[in-house]
Amino acid sequence: MYNTILFDLDGTLTDPGTGITNSVLYALKKFGIEVSDRSELFKFIGPPLMDAFSEYYGFSKEQSEKALMYYREYFSDKGIFENALYDGTKYMLNEIKSKGKNIILATSKPEEFAIRILKYFEIFDYFDFVAGASMDETRNQKEDVIKYALDGFGITDTSKVLMVGDRKHDVLGAKKFSIDSAGVLYGYGSEDELTNAGATYIVKKIEDILKLV
């Protein structure tokens, strides 16, 4: 049985689709790029943003750094709150906490943004530790964030840890530390993506997470 649950944020606890895509649209417009179908930008939800700008738009490192700066220009003021808590998130966190489990956030979103979001939705107090990316991008890969969470909370036995997330990055990051993972289908990753990455469990609805803990 798991005694510590690591949660991704975007696409797992909250639906950040509007804020993230608006921020990406804002950044791309600075480069003269217009995107007519917002859903094309959903792929930006999950992976480190500099990697996404590089992979999806062929940006150089310098261009990606500029794009990230523009992204944060919009996100830090408006995009961060163009966000919604998934129905059942508070209930699920409360139930896990009532079982005496440790709850840790492990997100590739910069830590200071993640903390603001948790406080905005009044779920910050459910978390025993918050691990996010660093603003200078030196800690932005999911495996780096997970290591930071494990070290920061003093976890050495990963057999009792479960990572919950909606993208392959969550699953692959967890595997680096022999951590079981639950891939959720209500977020932004597909069943194929999560299965192919090697998710231990596939979860359709947020309340189903409670069956695993």
Side-chain angles (χ1 to χ4, degrees), residues 22-71:
N22 278 347
S23 302
V24 175
L25 285 168
Y26 177 87
L28 291 175
K29 198 168 184 179
K30 297 284 190 179
F31 290 87
I33 300 170
E34 299 280 351
V35 179
S36 56
D37 183 0
R38 179 188 295 271
S39 66
E40 286 182 25
L41 303 179
F42 287 160
K43 56 196 174 189
F44 276 82
I45 302 173
L49 288 166
M50 279 188 57
D51 292 355
F53 281 115
S54 172
E55 180 178 351
Y56 303 130
Y57 286 91
F59 282 11
S60 66
K61 183 174 184 290
E62 292 73 21
Q63 288 175 316
S64 295
E65 286 173 348
K66 267 193 176 178
L68 181 62
M69 181 187 72
Y70 291 136
Y71 174 97

Side-chain angles (χ1 to χ4, degrees), residues 103-114:
I103 301 178
I104 295 175
L105 191 75
T107 176
S108 293
K109 185 180 290 300
E111 195 168 298
E112 64 181 70
F113 289 158

Side-chain angles (χ1 to χ4, degrees), residues 86-140:
Y86 283 120
D87 288 343
T89 293
K90 277 189 180 179
Y91 174 79
M92 181 265 298
L93 292 173
N94 190 63
E95 287 295 295
I96 293 174
K97 186 53 68 177
S98 71
K99 294 180 180 181
K101 312 286 185 180
N102 302 312
I103 301 178
I104 295 175
L105 191 75
T107 176
S108 293
K109 185 180 290 300
E111 195 168 298
E112 64 181 70
F113 289 158
I115 290 171
R116 284 175 65 192
I117 290 167
L118 295 181
K119 289 183 175 179
Y120 178 75
F121 288 118
E122 299 180 344
I123 58 173
F124 178 79
D125 289 344
Y126 288 112
F127 291 85
D128 297 283
F129 190 82
V130 174
S134 55
M135 289 293 275
D136 64 2
E137 294 295 295
T138 56
R139 183 179 66 243
N140 67 353

Side-chain angles (χ1 to χ4, degrees), residues 120-162:
Y120 178 75
F121 288 118
E122 299 180 344
I123 58 173
F124 178 79
D125 289 344
Y126 288 112
F127 291 85
D128 297 283
F129 190 82
V130 174
S134 55
M135 289 293 275
D136 64 2
E137 294 295 295
T138 56
R139 183 179 66 243
N140 67 353
Q141 300 296 321
K142 184 51 70 100
E143 64 185 87
D144 297 331
V145 170
I146 291 175
K147 183 179 188 306
Y148 170 52
L150 298 175
D151 291 346
F153 200 64
I155 297 171
T156 53
D157 182 3
T158 58
S159 68
K160 297 185 183 303
V161 179
L162 177 68

Side-chain angles (χ1 to χ4, degrees), residues 12 14 20 45 56-57 67 70 75 83 100-102 115 130 142 144 153 166 168 180 188 194 199 203 210:
T12 303
T14 71
I20 288 179
I45 302 173
Y56 303 130
Y57 286 91
Y70 291 136
F75 186 83
N83 198 351
K101 312 286 185 180
N102 302 312
I115 290 171
V130 174
K142 184 51 70 100
D144 297 331
F153 200 64
D166 70 315
K168 65 182 180 182
D180 286 350
Y188 287 87
L194 293 164
V203 174
L210 293 173

Side-chain angles (χ1 to χ4, degrees), residues 8-16 42 45 86 165-167 183-190 194 203-205:
D8 175 45
L9 180 60
D10 294 339
T12 303
L13 299 176
T14 71
D15 183 353
F42 287 160
I45 302 173
Y86 283 120
D166 70 315
R167 299 298 307 273
V184 303
L185 297 183
Y186 56 81
Y188 287 87
S190 67
L194 293 164
V203 174
K204 291 185 177 179
K205 295 180 289 187

Side-chain angles (χ1 to χ4, degrees), residues 68-89:
L68 181 62
M69 181 187 72
Y70 291 136
Y71 174 97
R72 287 178 175 167
E73 199 173 277
Y74 182 94
F75 186 83
S76 62
D77 182 40
K78 296 179 182 176
I80 190 169
F81 301 124
E82 293 173 334
N83 198 351
L85 201 63
Y86 283 120
D87 288 343
T89 293

